[in-house]
Amino acid sequence: MFSSLDIHFARFMAELNGTDAPELFLAAALVSHYRGMGHVCLDLSSVAGRPLPTEDDVKEPVVCPELAVWRNRLETSPVVGRPGEYKPLILDDRSRLYLYRYFEYQEKLAGLILERACDGGHEIDVPLLREGLGRLFPGDGTEDINWQKIAAVVALCKRFCVVTGGPGTGKTTTVAKIIALMLEQAGKRRVRIALAGPTGKAASRLKEAIKSAKEGLSCPDRIKEAIPSEASTIHRLLGSIHGSPYFRYNAQNVLPFDVVIVDEASMVDMALMSKLVQALSRDTRLILLGDKDQLASVEAGAVLGDICDSGAEHGLSGAFCSVLKGSCGHDIGPGSAKEVRGISDCIAGLQKSYRFLKESGIGEASRMVNTGDADACSGIFSGGRYNDIRWKSLPMKNLLPAAIREMVITGFGDYLKAKDPWEAFERFERFRILCALRKGPFGVTAINRLTEEILKKAGLIEHDKTWYPGRPVLISRNDYSLGLFNGDMGIVFEDRESNNEPRVFFPVADGTLRRLHPLRLPEHETVYAMTVHKSQGSEFDNVLFILPDNDYPVLTRELVYTGITRARKRVEIWGTSEVFSAAVSRRTERTSGLRDALWER
């Protein structure tokens, strides 16, 4: 269960403690293990009194102490502190044990969000806003509430705003209109706006989406020209420092922007989000865009889900409902959902999908997955009503090569014939294989190896080269010195400027391509197939989504939802009904105190 790092950290804590303390050793090893699993902290009550998972042949598994005994032993340790103390480990009143660094990330993030949420925001010219809303969000002839318009009012009235919604709900179109409204409100005053994403690809997509959206806006040309046309990664925005986890911009040296907009916020982990918010001045607006129902970040935390209190329903306050009625005419009514509390006035959920309409099987299936209704999904798959989603029983392991061959050649053949990197990137987005797991016969490693074998036999890639033209690679470890980050994707091409030697090309947010020698790359992998986790922030025309033949705890409804909604046009799901049903019935759980800090104060 424990890695070498977990054991080393536990031994270090035990040495600092000064006396024999098996309860501390076990708690420290578990904290390290849980952080590696994506949790911000360890909930002692969830493991107290229970045996640890172990191999089947172990006769006497380790049993965790009972909660009261465990807490008492930890509270007497000099390396365990209470909130507000400076100790390596922090134990709070709810028996949550943190690494100090992550407790500090969480507390600063929560405090700064609440400070922004409770602030009245900037002064608004209501008549000007009302006119702008009517122009930029024209009515559709129905009485339906325009949630994009609601989101615009939230963003204008609050210094902290979340615009959340599924694929095709118009998040980036909405934010382009929000920027236009802000510029109109500012008059002749300059508004400094930064656009950012967690990866280079996310930043590039945000840039292109804003550029496309602003051309169709009903506003003066001077406003369109003032809408920013560049985007960067969050790391680049903050100013990465080589060989350091710190950034040039921080609480002592804040970013020089009036508005910061972050797309694909579900991919941002606790540490990075906390560092970003700490680097904002008190008056800077922060707007987060993302899908709260997607998988959490690869690193620790489920920040967007915690901020939105995913799984719960919240209404708006009476005071803010009055603001909405006065500015955009919608009479929502306070407490329209279950409860009004926390930061609910700062969150705008877009509900209408303009991509997945009622006749879309992808849209219908994703909605059913979110409700945990696997039976309804089965009806969608088998009914023959939808053309954009298909279910296929998972083939036997020995039959997989024959079953997948045609899809691989059809899906990747066109891209491998591209004449230049730009053409290759465009074609590569047309098809992708997504896997739930990394290991196993239906995992990413095996599927990538099988895909290369099929493409070699078909003569589409070269047999004897590791760095063959067209090889797609995915960066799996941050390298601040190179400006490459976990999730960035590149394609190998022969570089005319380097005597046709292979170079790996990466798209940059400014619309150019970087080329790097293969030997300079940090940890990476071939990426014909990728995990659903790594696919976040990406969309492909067609997707083959492969589930494993056995159930695993990592299979959750968020994973299934994310996998299905990566497809723009068509998705084919291979799996077994038992594994699919088990996954849809299970929610992702990431332990942290951020949700409580934001919603229970």
Side-chain angles (χ1 to χ4, degrees), residues 119-122 124 129 152-160 285 320 323 327:
D119 190 283
H122 297 268
I124 299 295
L129 175 60
V153 177
V154 173
L156 267 290
C157 293
K158 300 288 185 179
R159 287 195 296 120
F160 174 71
R285 298 179 191 264
F320 195 65
V323 172
S327 57

Side-chain angles (χ1 to χ4, degrees), residues 82-117:
R82 304 287 296 156
E85 294 183 321
Y86 186 62
K87 299 287 184 69
L89 299 171
I90 300 296
L91 181 64
D92 72 7
D93 293 334
R94 297 197 178 189
S95 299
R96 291 183 294 227
L97 187 65
Y98 296 81
L99 298 172
Y100 174 82
R101 183 163 50 115
Y102 277 85
F103 180 78
E104 185 180 42
Y105 287 149
Q106 176 183 287
E107 289 302 289
K108 288 187 175 180
L109 177 59
L112 290 169
I113 287 177
L114 287 170
E115 179 184 312
R116 280 178 160 71

Side-chain angles (χ1 to χ4, degrees), residues 327-401:
S327 57
C328 64
H330 288 311
D331 189 359
I332 296 178
S336 56
K338 292 182 178 179
E339 199 171 357
V340 179
R341 59 174 180 159
I343 60 173
S344 58
D345 286 352
C346 297
I347 297 170
L350 306 185
Q351 300 175 16
K352 180 180 178 180
S353 176
Y354 296 89
R355 181 186 306 163
F356 303 133
L357 304 178
K358 291 183 178 179
E359 61 271 15
S360 167
I362 295 176
E364 189 65 18
S366 64
R367 287 187 284 271
M368 294 302 101
V369 168
N370 271 338
T371 63
D373 194 339
D375 291 338
C377 289
S378 298
I380 293 169
F381 299 150
S382 61
R385 177 182 169 190
Y386 302 103
N387 296 321
D388 61 344
I389 192 165
R390 181 186 176 192
W391 172 270
K392 182 177 179 179
S393 294
L394 190 68
M396 300 290 288
K397 300 172 189 176
N398 61 323
L399 299 177
L400 183 59

Side-chain angles (χ1 to χ4, degrees), residues 326-519:
S327 57
C328 64
H330 288 311
D331 189 359
I332 296 178
S336 56
K338 292 182 178 179
E339 199 171 357
V340 179
R341 59 174 180 159
I343 60 173
S344 58
D345 286 352
C346 297
I347 297 170
L350 306 185
Q351 300 175 16
K352 180 180 178 180
S353 176
Y354 296 89
R355 181 186 306 163
F356 303 133
L357 304 178
K358 291 183 178 179
E359 61 271 15
S360 167
I362 295 176
E364 189 65 18
S366 64
R367 287 187 284 271
M368 294 302 101
V369 168
N370 271 338
T371 63
D373 194 339
D375 291 338
C377 289
S378 298
I380 293 169
F381 299 150
S382 61
R385 177 182 169 190
Y386 302 103
N387 296 321
D388 61 344
I389 192 165
R390 181 186 176 192
W391 172 270
K392 182 177 179 179
S393 294
L394 190 68
M396 300 290 288
K397 300 172 189 176
N398 61 323
L399 299 177
L400 183 59
I404 203 173
R405 182 179 182 278
E406 184 179 346
M407 291 195 74
V408 164
I409 293 175
T410 302
F412 296 119
D414 196 37
Y415 128 79
L416 288 168
K417 297 173 185 175
K419 299 295 190 296
D420 61 69
W422 279 121
E423 185 180 14
F425 276 109
E426 187 275 325
R427 293 183 181 184
F428 193 55
E429 298 304 291
R430 297 177 187 176
F431 175 69
R432 197 64 48 87
I433 303 171
L434 302 183
C435 302
L437 303 179
R438 176 165 299 281
K439 303 297 182 182
F442 302 101
V444 163
T445 302
I447 297 296
N448 271 318
R449 185 167 56 246
L450 176 58
T451 299
E452 284 191 310
E453 290 173 0
I454 292 171
L455 294 173
K456 285 179 181 179
K457 289 180 181 178
L460 291 168
I461 61 176
E462 297 186 38
H463 290 261
D464 54 350
K465 289 185 178 180
T466 300
W467 296 101
Y468 56 83
R471 181 188 171 190
V473 295
L474 188 74
I475 301 301
S476 54
R477 180 177 58 82
N478 293 344
D479 188 319
Y480 296 98
S481 63
L482 288 176
L484 290 177
F485 303 100
N486 189 357
D488 286 349
M489 198 208 78
I491 294 178
V492 178
F493 243 82
E494 292 179 348
D495 185 16
R496 297 173 184 173
E497 297 181 11
S498 304
N499 296 320
N500 288 328
E501 293 201 6
R503 294 290 184 268
V504 188
F505 288 77
F506 292 89
V508 183
D510 62 6
T512 62
L513 285 174
R514 296 179 61 197
R515 49 174 69 86
L516 293 171
H517 193 285
L519 297 181

Side-chain angles (χ1 to χ4, degrees), residues 115-136:
E115 179 184 312
R116 280 178 160 71
C118 295
D119 190 283
H122 297 268
E123 198 170 311
I124 299 295
D125 183 334
V126 177
L128 179 61
L129 175 60
R130 191 184 299 120
E131 187 276 331
L133 290 169
R135 174 169 28 86
L136 291 168

Side-chain angles (χ1 to χ4, degrees), residues 225-290:
E225 291 170 2
I227 294 175
S229 56
E230 297 299 326
S232 71
T233 63
I234 299 173
H235 294 84
R236 184 180 174 191
L237 179 72
L238 291 174
S240 300
I241 299 175
H242 177 56
S244 166
Y246 304 106
F247 294 98
R248 188 159 61 91
Y249 290 103
N250 49 48
Q252 288 71 46
N253 180 36
V254 296
L255 286 163
F257 297 106
D258 303 301
V259 183
V260 172
I261 298 168
V262 179
D263 196 15
E264 299 294 350
S266 64
M267 299 172 63
V268 185
D269 61 272
M270 176 71 78
L272 185 57
M273 186 68 82
S274 183
K275 291 175 182 179
L276 171 64
V277 175
Q278 289 179 56
L280 303 180
S281 74
R282 188 179 183 280
D283 294 325
T284 301
R285 298 179 191 264
L286 175 62
I287 301 174
L288 304 180
L289 310 177

Side-chain angles (χ1 to χ4, degrees), residues 168-191:
T169 51
K171 295 184 290 294
T172 49
T173 300
T174 301
V175 86
K177 296 178 181 181
I178 288 171
I179 294 172
L181 290 169
M182 287 181 177
L183 293 169
E184 290 177 1
Q185 289 283 323
K188 295 183 179 180
R189 180 173 58 86
R190 183 189 174 205
V191 182

